[in-house]
Amino acid sequence: NAGVTQTPKFRVLKTGQSMTLLCAQDMNHEYMYWYRQDPGMGLRLIHYSVGEGTTAKGEVPDGYNVSRLKKQNFLLGLESAAPSQTSVYFCATRTALYSNQPQHFGDGTRLSIL
Amino acid sequence: GIQVEQSPPDLILQEGANSTLRCNFSDSVNNLQWFHQNPWGQLINLFYIPSGTKQNGRLSATTVATERYSLLYISSSQTTDSGVYFCAAAYSGNTPLVFGKGTRLSVIA
């Protein structure tokens, strides 16, 4: 999707390894979100940020950390990957200027933990 | 927190048929959105519709906020409509969306 870029697109990790997923946006949006999608579960919110330097926990934050040092980037970290973190991860953004604006999603990162 | 339930979980349609997808939510919301996830996994916003009715081509949506449900109508379905349709709700535009588990739609030629 235009405006929200996730890297990498695919990654395979071994249990215990660490990695960072990057979400970059060029729409100057204040709000950024990290979701995970598992089969039959819909999207569940991991962490989110309402602005540069701020982060908050979502529904399933355990095992993840995030940082928002720059407005355009939102990083999701796995310090010690576990097989239960195998999932597809989506980043989303939204403007804070108007309340009636939709969320915009990146194309996702497919992560497998062996 | 808000609970979002979608029905049916799965739907198979013949090309050209019409369908209605339903989304029930547990609390008063001021933010209700419909998304389509295509077979390649991309999530596309269809409607921002906390109340009222909107139409976009063959798709339309209606939200009755007082009765806590929203409906997505697909008319004259095409194979490209296949995918998963998600409803998501939040208390306000500034609070995170809660997603339902989705309706998987398969349109066959």
Side-chain angles (χ1 to χ4, degrees), chain B residues 26-101:
Chain B
S26 60
D27 288 309
S28 298
V29 299
N30 289 299
N31 184 352
L32 191 291
Q33 300 185 32
W34 284 96
F35 296 87
H36 175 224
Q37 186 170 38
N38 64 27
W40 296 271
Q42 295 173 318
L43 282 154
I44 307 298
N45 185 274
L46 298 175
F47 295 103
Y48 178 98
I49 186 165
S51 63
T53 297
K54 290 185 177 179
Q55 182 159 4
N56 184 3
R58 296 180 296 102
L59 272 62
S60 63
T62 294
T63 297
V64 183
T66 54
E67 298 188 21
R68 299 180 183 172
Y69 73 88
S70 183
L71 302 174
L72 178 68
Y73 304 97
I74 304 174
S75 64
S76 303
S77 59
Q78 301 175 0
T79 56
T80 53
D81 294 330
S82 295
V84 183
Y85 290 82
F86 289 103
C87 170
Y91 291 115
S92 74
N94 298 328
T95 54
L97 288 169
V98 176
F99 282 75
K101 294 183 178 181

Side-chain angles (χ1 to χ4, degrees), chain A residues 7-27:
Chain A
T7 54
K9 296 189 186 307
F10 305 94
R11 186 74 183 269
V12 178
L13 289 178
K14 294 182 179 179
T15 297
Q17 289 185 317
S18 63
M19 80 161 295
T20 301
L21 281 65
L22 170 64
C23 177
Q25 53 111 350
D26 61 4
M27 296 180 286

